[in-house]
Amino acid sequence: MINTRFSVAIHILTLVATNSDKGVTSNFIAGSVNTNPVVIRRIGSLLKKANLLKGGPGVAGYSLVAEPNKITLLDIYRAVTTGEELFAVHDQPNPNCDVGKNIQSSLDISLTRAQQAMENELNKQTLADIIQHLSIQ
Amino acid sequence: MINTRFSVAIHILTLVATNSDKGVTSNFIAGSVNTNPVVIRRIGSLLKKANLLKGGPGVAGYSLVAEPNKITLLDIYRAVTTGEELFAVHDQPNPNCDVGKNIQSSLDISLTRAQQAMENELNKQTLADIIQHLSIQ
DNA sequence: ATTTATTGTAACCATTATAGTTACATTTTG
DNA sequence: CAAAATGTAACTATAATGGTTACAATAAAT
């Protein structure tokens, strides 16, 4: 299971997008996510490195760098999973076995396709879609 | 990152498929995967519950229930991730916040699509594809 | 029948990841 | 200068993961 940083990151960006009038502080966000403000700042830090969020020490609250319909879920996913693979593959299969010798590259072909398919779908959806789904419950 | 049980499960089934003459024991498999036989038997147990493998106490080695081209990677994925979601969502968002109140169902819509896309791709690939990739390195 | 080899599973352990927390330096605003 | 934020290091508790030992249960071979 992929950890909650991705869903929390989406939550953060959604709050910033829908409260652009107020100062959306880590404290405010933590109250909505129901966690500690440091957890928010930690993920906020990743989102800033990915150029999705603005803000900094002294500045009260975060703001978006781009419009919600320009921020894809893939952008957010990549921000919080900095380049890691979706599927782990076991380390040291036996090189003296025909299967062990080649299984990693064989797995790589298939698992990369699955990851690609997921990322393609994330790339079709934006923060604006998330916001829209909020209202039509 | 998804744990190595999935890739080890594929490795196990590949060995069983390509060594149907010999008795493919947990010991033999462990030597190829490079782990402890109990780890293999543990995953083997899941694959038996999913009706992908045959074998049992007293019987030396495992054998396949179906032909490799009838076993999809999705079958294997489902066997080792017994029904759990791909993406974790944080637990208790604040119900007194418009975003917190609805974010879980909004996330569910989007993340389910991404999981579906991945599973659709896994469903297109079979154990036979894995075996074929082994030889064309 | 007895021996042998094997699987199934419980129990335990070490390592790692995760999320929460405290503390404090840094920075901007007023 | 004071107040209010953020950034980040450091520490903690909890849980997941994979490895290991141990042993009961089973089937095959002799």
Side-chain angles (χ1 to χ4, degrees), chain B residues 97-115:
Chain B
C97 165
D98 283 345
V99 172
K101 184 168 48 188
N102 298 307
I103 192 70
Q104 287 181 320
S105 45
S106 182
L107 283 169
D108 190 50
I109 294 170
S110 293
L111 300 182
T112 296
R113 282 183 196 162
Q115 179 169 351

mmCIF file with all atom_site columns, all heavy atoms in Angstrom, chain B residues 97-115:
data_model
loop_
_atom_site.group_PDB
_atom_site.id
_atom_site.type_symbol
_atom_site.label_atom_id
_atom_site.label_alt_id
_atom_site.label_comp_id
_atom_site.label_asym_id
_atom_site.label_entity_id
_atom_site.label_seq_id
_atom_site.pdbx_PDB_ins_code
_atom_site.Cartn_x
_atom_site.Cartn_y
_atom_site.Cartn_z
_atom_site.occupancy
_atom_site.B_iso_or_equiv
_atom_site.pdbx_formal_charge
_atom_site.auth_seq_id
_atom_site.auth_comp_id
_atom_site.auth_asym_id
_atom_site.auth_atom_id
_atom_site.pdbx_PDB_model_num
ATOM 1   N N   . CYS B 1 97  ? -15.049 20.642 8.422   1.00 0.00 ? 97  CYS B N   1
ATOM 2   C CA  . CYS B 1 97  ? -14.412 21.424 7.368   1.00 0.00 ? 97  CYS B CA  1
ATOM 3   C C   . CYS B 1 97  ? -14.973 20.911 6.045   1.00 0.00 ? 97  CYS B C   1
ATOM 4   O O   . CYS B 1 97  ? -15.092 19.700 5.842   1.00 0.00 ? 97  CYS B O   1
ATOM 5   C CB  . CYS B 1 97  ? -12.902 21.209 7.428   1.00 0.00 ? 97  CYS B CB  1
ATOM 6   S SG  . CYS B 1 97  ? -12.006 21.759 5.964   1.00 0.00 ? 97  CYS B SG  1
ATOM 7   N N   . ASP B 1 98  ? -15.341 21.845 5.156   1.00 0.00 ? 98  ASP B N   1
ATOM 8   C CA  . ASP B 1 98  ? -15.951 21.442 3.892   1.00 0.00 ? 98  ASP B CA  1
ATOM 9   C C   . ASP B 1 98  ? -15.051 20.494 3.103   1.00 0.00 ? 98  ASP B C   1
ATOM 10  O O   . ASP B 1 98  ? -15.523 19.546 2.478   1.00 0.00 ? 98  ASP B O   1
ATOM 11  C CB  . ASP B 1 98  ? -16.258 22.669 3.027   1.00 0.00 ? 98  ASP B CB  1
ATOM 12  C CG  . ASP B 1 98  ? -17.508 23.385 3.513   1.00 0.00 ? 98  ASP B CG  1
ATOM 13  O OD1 . ASP B 1 98  ? -18.256 22.768 4.304   1.00 0.00 ? 98  ASP B OD1 1
ATOM 14  O OD2 . ASP B 1 98  ? -17.724 24.543 3.125   1.00 0.00 ? 98  ASP B OD2 1
ATOM 15  N N   . VAL B 1 99  ? -13.764 20.786 3.149   1.00 0.00 ? 99  VAL B N   1
ATOM 16  C CA  . VAL B 1 99  ? -12.833 19.913 2.438   1.00 0.00 ? 99  VAL B CA  1
ATOM 17  C C   . VAL B 1 99  ? -12.676 18.594 3.201   1.00 0.00 ? 99  VAL B C   1
ATOM 18  O O   . VAL B 1 99  ? -12.813 17.505 2.639   1.00 0.00 ? 99  VAL B O   1
ATOM 19  C CB  . VAL B 1 99  ? -11.469 20.598 2.239   1.00 0.00 ? 99  VAL B CB  1
ATOM 20  C CG1 . VAL B 1 99  ? -10.442 19.613 1.684   1.00 0.00 ? 99  VAL B CG1 1
ATOM 21  C CG2 . VAL B 1 99  ? -11.616 21.789 1.290   1.00 0.00 ? 99  VAL B CG2 1
ATOM 22  N N   . GLY B 1 100 ? -12.405 18.694 4.496   1.00 0.00 ? 100 GLY B N   1
ATOM 23  C CA  . GLY B 1 100 ? -12.202 17.504 5.309   1.00 0.00 ? 100 GLY B CA  1
ATOM 24  C C   . GLY B 1 100 ? -13.377 16.539 5.244   1.00 0.00 ? 100 GLY B C   1
ATOM 25  O O   . GLY B 1 100 ? -13.201 15.318 5.225   1.00 0.00 ? 100 GLY B O   1
ATOM 26  N N   . LYS B 1 101 ? -14.575 17.116 5.168   1.00 0.00 ? 101 LYS B N   1
ATOM 27  C CA  . LYS B 1 101 ? -15.787 16.301 5.168   1.00 0.00 ? 101 LYS B CA  1
ATOM 28  C C   . LYS B 1 101 ? -15.894 15.424 3.921   1.00 0.00 ? 101 LYS B C   1
ATOM 29  O O   . LYS B 1 101 ? -16.405 14.310 3.978   1.00 0.00 ? 101 LYS B O   1
ATOM 30  C CB  . LYS B 1 101 ? -16.995 17.241 5.265   1.00 0.00 ? 101 LYS B CB  1
ATOM 31  C CG  . LYS B 1 101 ? -18.331 16.569 5.380   1.00 0.00 ? 101 LYS B CG  1
ATOM 32  C CD  . LYS B 1 101 ? -19.403 17.592 5.773   1.00 0.00 ? 101 LYS B CD  1
ATOM 33  C CE  . LYS B 1 101 ? -19.326 18.862 4.906   1.00 0.00 ? 101 LYS B CE  1
ATOM 34  N NZ  . LYS B 1 101 ? -20.216 19.943 5.387   1.00 0.00 ? 101 LYS B NZ  1
ATOM 35  N N   . ASN B 1 102 ? -15.428 15.953 2.785   1.00 0.00 ? 102 ASN B N   1
ATOM 36  C CA  . ASN B 1 102 ? -15.665 15.265 1.521   1.00 0.00 ? 102 ASN B CA  1
ATOM 37  C C   . ASN B 1 102 ? -14.427 14.728 0.811   1.00 0.00 ? 102 ASN B C   1
ATOM 38  O O   . ASN B 1 102 ? -14.533 14.069 -0.212  1.00 0.00 ? 102 ASN B O   1
ATOM 39  C CB  . ASN B 1 102 ? -16.390 16.218 0.555   1.00 0.00 ? 102 ASN B CB  1
ATOM 40  C CG  . ASN B 1 102 ? -17.752 16.632 1.077   1.00 0.00 ? 102 ASN B CG  1
ATOM 41  O OD1 . ASN B 1 102 ? -18.564 15.785 1.418   1.00 0.00 ? 102 ASN B OD1 1
ATOM 42  N ND2 . ASN B 1 102 ? -17.986 17.928 1.145   1.00 0.00 ? 102 ASN B ND2 1
ATOM 43  N N   . ILE B 1 103 ? -13.267 15.012 1.377   1.00 0.00 ? 103 ILE B N   1
ATOM 44  C CA  . ILE B 1 103 ? -12.041 14.664 0.648   1.00 0.00 ? 103 ILE B CA  1
ATOM 45  C C   . ILE B 1 103 ? -11.895 13.162 0.444   1.00 0.00 ? 103 ILE B C   1
ATOM 46  O O   . ILE B 1 103 ? -11.382 12.709 -0.595  1.00 0.00 ? 103 ILE B O   1
ATOM 47  C CB  . ILE B 1 103 ? -10.791 15.256 1.373   1.00 0.00 ? 103 ILE B CB  1
ATOM 48  C CG1 . ILE B 1 103 ? -9.555  15.153 0.496   1.00 0.00 ? 103 ILE B CG1 1
ATOM 49  C CG2 . ILE B 1 103 ? -10.546 14.565 2.698   1.00 0.00 ? 103 ILE B CG2 1
ATOM 50  C CD1 . ILE B 1 103 ? -9.536  16.050 -0.702  1.00 0.00 ? 103 ILE B CD1 1
ATOM 51  N N   . GLN B 1 104 ? -12.332 12.378 1.399   1.00 0.00 ? 104 GLN B N   1
ATOM 52  C CA  . GLN B 1 104 ? -12.140 10.934 1.272   1.00 0.00 ? 104 GLN B CA  1
ATOM 53  C C   . GLN B 1 104 ? -12.886 10.348 0.084   1.00 0.00 ? 104 GLN B C   1
ATOM 54  O O   . GLN B 1 104 ? -12.324 9.563  -0.686  1.00 0.00 ? 104 GLN B O   1
ATOM 55  C CB  . GLN B 1 104 ? -12.546 10.219 2.564   1.00 0.00 ? 104 GLN B CB  1
ATOM 56  C CG  . GLN B 1 104 ? -11.534 10.428 3.684   1.00 0.00 ? 104 GLN B CG  1
ATOM 57  C CD  . GLN B 1 104 ? -11.914 9.712  4.960   1.00 0.00 ? 104 GLN B CD  1
ATOM 58  O OE1 . GLN B 1 104 ? -13.078 9.686  5.328   1.00 0.00 ? 104 GLN B OE1 1
ATOM 59  N NE2 . GLN B 1 104 ? -10.941 9.159  5.640   1.00 0.00 ? 104 GLN B NE2 1
ATOM 60  N N   . SER B 1 105 ? -14.135 10.769 -0.097  1.00 0.00 ? 105 SER B N   1
ATOM 61  C CA  . SER B 1 105 ? -14.867 10.209 -1.234  1.00 0.00 ? 105 SER B CA  1
ATOM 62  C C   . SER B 1 105 ? -14.353 10.779 -2.545  1.00 0.00 ? 105 SER B C   1
ATOM 63  O O   . SER B 1 105 ? -14.340 10.095 -3.573  1.00 0.00 ? 105 SER B O   1
ATOM 64  C CB  . SER B 1 105 ? -16.375 10.434 -1.084  1.00 0.00 ? 105 SER B CB  1
ATOM 65  O OG  . SER B 1 105 ? -16.641 11.742 -0.687  1.00 0.00 ? 105 SER B OG  1
ATOM 66  N N   . SER B 1 106 ? -13.889 12.030 -2.500  1.00 0.00 ? 106 SER B N   1
ATOM 67  C CA  . SER B 1 106 ? -13.307 12.621 -3.712  1.00 0.00 ? 106 SER B CA  1
ATOM 68  C C   . SER B 1 106 ? -12.022 11.886 -4.089  1.00 0.00 ? 106 SER B C   1
ATOM 69  O O   . SER B 1 106 ? -11.807 11.540 -5.265  1.00 0.00 ? 106 SER B O   1
ATOM 70  C CB  . SER B 1 106 ? -13.038 14.101 -3.470  1.00 0.00 ? 106 SER B CB  1
ATOM 71  O OG  . SER B 1 106 ? -12.522 14.712 -4.625  1.00 0.00 ? 106 SER B OG  1
ATOM 72  N N   . LEU B 1 107 ? -11.183 11.640 -3.100  1.00 0.00 ? 107 LEU B N   1
ATOM 73  C CA  . LEU B 1 107 ? -9.954  10.888 -3.343  1.00 0.00 ? 107 LEU B CA  1
ATOM 74  C C   . LEU B 1 107 ? -10.295 9.487  -3.851  1.00 0.00 ? 107 LEU B C   1
ATOM 75  O O   . LEU B 1 107 ? -9.641  8.964  -4.759  1.00 0.00 ? 107 LEU B O   1
ATOM 76  C CB  . LEU B 1 107 ? -9.140  10.767 -2.052  1.00 0.00 ? 107 LEU B CB  1
ATOM 77  C CG  . LEU B 1 107 ? -8.361  12.001 -1.618  1.00 0.00 ? 107 LEU B CG  1
ATOM 78  C CD1 . LEU B 1 107 ? -7.815  11.835 -0.204  1.00 0.00 ? 107 LEU B CD1 1
ATOM 79  C CD2 . LEU B 1 107 ? -7.231  12.291 -2.598  1.00 0.00 ? 107 LEU B CD2 1
ATOM 80  N N   . ASP B 1 108 ? -11.308 8.909  -3.265  1.00 0.00 ? 108 ASP B N   1
ATOM 81  C CA  . ASP B 1 108 ? -11.665 7.545  -3.634  1.00 0.00 ? 108 ASP B CA  1
ATOM 82  C C   . ASP B 1 108 ? -11.976 7.441  -5.126  1.00 0.00 ? 108 ASP B C   1
ATOM 83  O O   . ASP B 1 108 ? -11.529 6.510  -5.801  1.00 0.00 ? 108 ASP B O   1
ATOM 84  C CB  . ASP B 1 108 ? -12.873 7.093  -2.808  1.00 0.00 ? 108 ASP B CB  1
ATOM 85  C CG  . ASP B 1 108 ? -13.130 5.610  -2.972  1.00 0.00 ? 108 ASP B CG  1
ATOM 86  O OD1 . ASP B 1 108 ? -12.174 4.833  -2.831  1.00 0.00 ? 108 ASP B OD1 1
ATOM 87  O OD2 . ASP B 1 108 ? -14.281 5.230  -3.268  1.00 0.00 ? 108 ASP B OD2 1
ATOM 88  N N   . ILE B 1 109 ? -12.700 8.421  -5.640  1.00 0.00 ? 109 ILE B N   1
ATOM 89  C CA  . ILE B 1 109 ? -13.046 8.413  -7.065  1.00 0.00 ? 109 ILE B CA  1
ATOM 90  C C   . ILE B 1 109 ? -11.784 8.417  -7.928  1.00 0.00 ? 109 ILE B C   1
ATOM 91  O O   . ILE B 1 109 ? -11.591 7.574  -8.806  1.00 0.00 ? 109 ILE B O   1
ATOM 92  C CB  . ILE B 1 109 ? -13.913 9.645  -7.416  1.00 0.00 ? 109 ILE B CB  1
ATOM 93  C CG1 . ILE B 1 109 ? -15.269 9.558  -6.707  1.00 0.00 ? 109 ILE B CG1 1
ATOM 94  C CG2 . ILE B 1 109 ? -14.100 9.766  -8.924  1.00 0.00 ? 109 ILE B CG2 1
ATOM 95  C CD1 . ILE B 1 109 ? -16.095 10.834 -6.796  1.00 0.00 ? 109 ILE B CD1 1
ATOM 96  N N   . SER B 1 110 ? -10.881 9.327  -7.617  1.00 0.00 ? 110 SER B N   1
ATOM 97  C CA  . SER B 1 110 ? -9.690  9.483  -8.447  1.00 0.00 ? 110 SER B CA  1
ATOM 98  C C   . SER B 1 110 ? -8.701  8.339  -8.278  1.00 0.00 ? 110 SER B C   1
ATOM 99  O O   . SER B 1 110 ? -8.119  7.851  -9.258  1.00 0.00 ? 110 SER B O   1
ATOM 100 C CB  . SER B 1 110 ? -8.996  10.800 -8.107  1.00 0.00 ? 110 SER B CB  1
ATOM 101 O OG  . SER B 1 110 ? -9.813  11.883 -8.508  1.00 0.00 ? 110 SER B OG  1
ATOM 102 N N   . LEU B 1 111 ? -8.498  7.918  -7.044  1.00 0.00 ? 111 LEU B N   1
ATOM 103 C CA  . LEU B 1 111 ? -7.487  6.894  -6.789  1.00 0.00 ? 111 LEU B CA  1
ATOM 104 C C   . LEU B 1 111 ? -7.953  5.521  -7.260  1.00 0.00 ? 111 LEU B C   1
ATOM 105 O O   . LEU B 1 111 ? -7.147  4.699  -7.708  1.00 0.00 ? 111 LEU B O   1
ATOM 106 C CB  . LEU B 1 111 ? -7.123  6.868  -5.302  1.00 0.00 ? 111 LEU B CB  1
ATOM 107 C CG  . LEU B 1 111 ? -6.548  8.181  -4.766  1.00 0.00 ? 111 LEU B CG  1
ATOM 108 C CD1 . LEU B 1 111 ? -6.164  8.066  -3.299  1.00 0.00 ? 111 LEU B CD1 1
ATOM 109 C CD2 . LEU B 1 111 ? -5.353  8.639  -5.599  1.00 0.00 ? 111 LEU B CD2 1
ATOM 110 N N   . THR B 1 112 ? -9.241  5.291  -7.191  1.00 0.00 ? 112 THR B N   1
ATOM 111 C CA  . THR B 1 112 ? -9.770  4.026  -7.709  1.00 0.00 ? 112 THR B CA  1
ATOM 112 C C   . THR B 1 112 ? -9.527  3.925  -9.210  1.00 0.00 ? 112 THR B C   1
ATOM 113 O O   . THR B 1 112 ? -9.179  2.862  -9.725  1.00 0.00 ? 112 THR B O   1
ATOM 114 C CB  . THR B 1 112 ? -11.272 3.920  -7.400  1.00 0.00 ? 112 THR B CB  1
ATOM 115 O OG1 . THR B 1 112 ? -11.445 3.890  -5.984  1.00 0.00 ? 112 THR B OG1 1
ATOM 116 C CG2 . THR B 1 112 ? -11.867 2.648  -7.996  1.00 0.00 ? 112 THR B CG2 1
ATOM 117 N N   . ARG B 1 113 ? -9.680  5.048  -9.897  1.00 0.00 ? 113 ARG B N   1
ATOM 118 C CA  . ARG B 1 113 ? -9.411  5.041  -11.346 1.00 0.00 ? 113 ARG B CA  1
ATOM 119 C C   . ARG B 1 113 ? -7.970  4.674  -11.640 1.00 0.00 ? 113 ARG B C   1
ATOM 120 O O   . ARG B 1 113 ? -7.682  3.911  -12.564 1.00 0.00 ? 113 ARG B O   1
ATOM 121 C CB  . ARG B 1 113 ? -9.710  6.415  -11.950 1.00 0.00 ? 113 ARG B CB  1
ATOM 122 C CG  . ARG B 1 113 ? -11.177 6.662  -12.169 1.00 0.00 ? 113 ARG B CG  1
ATOM 123 C CD  . ARG B 1 113 ? -11.404 8.010  -12.846 1.00 0.00 ? 113 ARG B CD  1
ATOM 124 N NE  . ARG B 1 113 ? -12.792 8.418  -12.709 1.00 0.00 ? 113 ARG B NE  1
ATOM 125 C CZ  . ARG B 1 113 ? -13.246 9.642  -12.875 1.00 0.00 ? 113 ARG B CZ  1
ATOM 126 N NH1 . ARG B 1 113 ? -12.411 10.612 -13.207 1.00 0.00 ? 113 ARG B NH1 1
ATOM 127 N NH2 . ARG B 1 113 ? -14.523 9.912  -12.747 1.00 0.00 ? 113 ARG B NH2 1
ATOM 128 N N   . ALA B 1 114 ? -7.065  5.239  -10.856 1.00 0.00 ? 114 ALA B N   1
ATOM 129 C CA  . ALA B 1 114 ? -5.640  4.960  -11.078 1.00 0.00 ? 114 ALA B CA  1
ATOM 130 C C   . ALA B 1 114 ? -5.334  3.491  -10.798 1.00 0.00 ? 114 ALA B C   1
ATOM 131 O O   . ALA B 1 114 ? -4.593  2.842  -11.548 1.00 0.00 ? 114 ALA B O   1
ATOM 132 C CB  . ALA B 1 114 ? -4.792  5.866  -10.190 1.00 0.00 ? 114 ALA B CB  1
ATOM 133 N N   . GLN B 1 115 ? -5.937  2.976  -9.730  1.00 0.00 ? 115 GLN B N   1
ATOM 134 C CA  . GLN B 1 115 ? -5.723  1.564  -9.410  1.00 0.00 ? 115 GLN B CA  1
ATOM 135 C C   . GLN B 1 115 ? -6.296  0.683  -10.525 1.00 0.00 ? 115 GLN B C   1
ATOM 136 O O   . GLN B 1 115 ? -5.660  -0.293 -10.940 1.00 0.00 ? 115 GLN B O   1
ATOM 137 C CB  . GLN B 1 115 ? -6.388  1.230  -8.067  1.00 0.00 ? 115 GLN B CB  1
ATOM 138 C CG  . GLN B 1 115 ? -6.232  -0.230 -7.685  1.00 0.00 ? 115 GLN B CG  1
ATOM 139 C CD  . GLN B 1 115 ? -6.639  -0.535 -6.261  1.00 0.00 ? 115 GLN B CD  1
ATOM 140 O OE1 . GLN B 1 115 ? -6.886  0.370  -5.464  1.00 0.00 ? 115 GLN B OE1 1
ATOM 141 N NE2 . GLN B 1 115 ? -6.706  -1.811 -5.925  1.00 0.00 ? 115 GLN B NE2 1
#
